[in-house]
Amino acid sequence: MSSTVSVFVSTQQPNQSAWKSSTAAILGEQGATIYLGENEADNIRKIQKAGRQLDSMGVKSVSLQGDGWDIERQWAFSNGFTDTLTKNQINWAGATEQLQQLRETAAWIRQLINLPPNEIYPESLANQVADKLTGIGGDAVTVRSVVGDELVAEGRMGIHTVGRASKRAPVMLVVDYNPSKNTDAPVDAVLIGKGITFDSGGYSIKSSEGMLAMKCDMGGAATVAGALVHAIQQGLQKRVQLVLCCAENLIDGSAYKLGDIITYKDGQTVEIVNTDAEGRLVLADGLIYAGEVNAPLIIDAATLTGAAQVAVGTEYNALFSVDDALAQSALKIADEQRELLWRLPLNQWHKDNCPSAFADTANSRPQKGGGAGGASNAAGFLLRFAPNNGAGWLHFDIAGAYNNSANGMWPAGATALGFRTIAATLLK
């Protein structure tokens, strides 16, 4: 076998084969062949599985050969043929620049999420994202970081409350991409990302097993940052602001406790009944900010609830919105981008599903996992803070952001699933 393995796709099924029919890629003298059927969705899935198969066999370099390799098929193979550290090499069959750009952006997102928590913390996350976007957007990008007690001065009480127990200060990062460079230009969209760089659960502490992967709890921040990178590379001409809500949810004598009440900048009060339901607390500050700049489109992304993963598994992301037209548009875009997305229930009355006798709302229900409908109730909490009663707002609970171990579709670690859909929504 040469140092680079040739990979072909074919619609002609082999007459005889020593390989099982369920095998994604069959190896022969010329290289590997992926035999496709009539259903393109099934083909895309099989191609990604073939990429995983070759990676698991130790192949580190491939060349996609022959006819039949359109962009989406090549991208599916790329997603599968990616080891955790993104060292594998692909010689593309066409659209090389576009695909290489996509692969590099996805690798950057995955790298951020996969970094150990001793390397990625609120200020380092903010700095890496700011440097990346400044490098991509040049003088069209301005950056502002609100750090530590500055958050209190600006009324960003959710981020400060969650992050104040860590020696590493919480941060609210605002990146303003303004291609017109007109300071009076309206903000067309705000992207908001949950940037919990490590989540111990706080005093509602997680088990050791449940805590192991919690470096990935900033997956929402990495995903929306990568989406903006990709949109800019694709020629985005709208003014878009990126807001990352960054904190470590740790424990010391100053940590927030069960029964504490947070008063937000908009006057809403929240009773803490679960310190492990912290993501919604920091995102609330981002949603309030989006209302302050009057953005007509608001998209947030977060590894928010285990309930969303229970509902849709790890191969889909979950979508919530009370704006039906916008939600349907997002689902259509996700289908075009070959990213699996499923809409889960959200109504205005979900805002009241976490009642409190002592505040306007609690941050969860005092039950394991937030009780029945936990993902919708978490989205309902966010809806309280979304401007215009949720018109123009999309919430992505990115259940598919991270895998604890390799599977038939993805390597261990981050997937970057969702960034293409969000970028395409901005570009529409």
Side-chain angles (χ1 to χ4, degrees):
M1 185 179 292
S2 69
S3 59
T4 297
V5 175
S6 296
V7 183
F8 303 84
V9 291
S10 175
T11 57
Q12 295 181 351
Q13 299 303 309
N15 294 326
Q16 293 180 340
S17 175
W19 297 77
K20 294 179 180 178
S21 59
S22 59
T23 304
I26 295 177
L27 272 63
E29 292 182 1
Q30 290 185 321
T33 302
I34 308 166
Y35 291 95
L36 304 180
E38 296 181 358
N39 185 296
E40 187 61 11
D42 290 342
N43 290 339
I44 291 291
R45 186 174 175 84
K46 188 173 186 180
I47 288 169
Q48 185 166 338
K49 284 186 173 182
R52 290 297 313 129
Q53 177 188 335
L54 294 176
D55 174 69
S56 66
M57 294 173 67
V59 176
K60 60 183 180 181
S61 178
V62 300
S63 179
L64 306 183
Q65 299 282 338
D67 297 329
W69 284 110
D70 63 18
I71 288 178
E72 293 304 328
R73 288 178 175 182
Q74 291 184 80
W75 179 241
F77 185 88
S78 172
N79 282 329
F81 189 65
T82 301
D83 63 348
T84 299
L85 299 178
T86 319
K87 294 180 178 179
N88 293 346
Q89 299 296 313
I90 300 176
N91 296 322
W92 307 101
T96 300
E97 183 177 353
Q98 181 179 350
L99 284 161
Q100 192 59 31
Q101 195 176 77
L102 267 173
R103 187 166 170 86
E104 289 173 0
T105 300
W108 179 72
I109 296 169
R110 284 194 292 262
Q111 179 189 32
L112 278 183
I113 299 173
N114 288 337
L115 282 172
N118 60 315
E119 293 184 27
I120 196 77
Y121 46 90
E123 286 188 274
S124 73
L125 172 60
N127 290 338
Q128 288 199 48
V129 169
D131 289 347
K132 180 71 170 181
L133 282 162
T134 301
I136 296 292
D139 59 4
V141 171
T142 56
V143 176
R144 186 169 74 94
S145 290
V146 186
V147 183
D149 289 342
E150 295 173 359
L151 291 160
V152 177
E154 293 203 10
R156 311 303 179 188
M157 298 307 300
I159 301 171
H160 184 268
T161 297
V162 171
R164 70 190 183 205
S166 174
K167 291 183 179 180
R168 290 163 164 164
V171 178
M172 180 173 173
L173 174 72
V174 180
V175 178
D176 187 356
Y177 173 68
N178 186 2
S180 73
K181 302 175 188 174
N182 175 6
T183 57
D184 295 325
V187 177
D188 292 289
V190 171
L191 302 178
I192 305 167
K194 174 186 172 184
I196 302 297
T197 56
F198 188 76
D199 181 19
S200 72
Y203 278 110
S204 305
I205 193 166
K206 296 177 182 289
S207 66
S208 179
E209 183 183 68
M211 204 186 299
L212 179 60
M214 284 300 103
K215 64 183 182 181
C216 80
D217 217 15
M218 40 63 69
T223 299
V224 291
L228 183 54
V229 167
H230 183 52
I232 293 171
Q233 290 174 329
Q234 295 298 303
L236 180 68
Q237 292 302 310
K238 299 174 183 177
R239 185 177 186 181
V240 176
Q241 293 191 350
L242 173 73
V243 180
L244 301 189
C245 307
C246 307
E248 287 185 320
N249 187 20
L250 299 181
I251 302 170
D252 74 357
S254 67
Y256 74 123
K257 305 171 293 297
L258 302 181
D260 283 358
I261 292 179
I262 302 175
T263 301
Y264 280 87
K265 191 174 183 179
D266 66 355
Q268 292 192 74
T269 57
V270 176
E271 180 190 7
I272 304 304
V273 302
N274 184 351
T275 61
D276 197 22
E278 85 296 329
R280 65 201 73 179
L281 298 176
V282 302
L283 289 175
D285 283 328
L287 290 166
I288 291 170
Y289 175 88
E292 292 169 354
V293 299
N294 298 313
L297 174 64
I298 303 167
I299 301 174
D300 77 67
T303 49
L304 200 65
T305 65
Q309 193 172 85
V310 170
V312 301
T314 58
E315 292 176 355
Y316 280 79
N317 286 331
L319 175 69
F320 297 85
S321 182
V322 291
D323 188 327
D324 289 338
L326 184 60
Q328 290 303 317
S329 175
L331 291 168
K332 184 175 184 294
I333 289 170
D335 185 60
E336 293 167 350
Q337 299 299 316
R338 299 288 182 179
E339 291 189 321
L340 297 175
L341 182 66
W342 197 266
R343 189 180 183 187
L344 292 179
L346 181 63
N347 283 280
Q348 292 291 342
W349 46 262
H350 278 102
K351 293 187 292 188
D352 301 317
N353 271 15
C354 297
S356 168
F358 305 99
D360 295 326
T361 185
N363 72 321
S364 185
R365 288 179 174 176
Q367 303 169 27
K368 183 176 177 60
S376 292
N377 293 340
F381 177 91
L382 295 178
L383 181 56
R384 286 181 159 270
F385 297 90
N388 305 314
N389 292 316
W393 168 60
L394 295 170
H395 164 51
F396 289 78
D397 196 332
I398 51 174
Y402 190 89
N403 294 302
N404 290 332
S405 58
N407 58 38
M409 296 291 288
W410 300 97
T415 65
L417 182 68
F419 85 95
R420 291 184 68 195
T421 297
I422 295 172
T425 303
L426 293 178
L427 290 163
K428 185 175 180 181

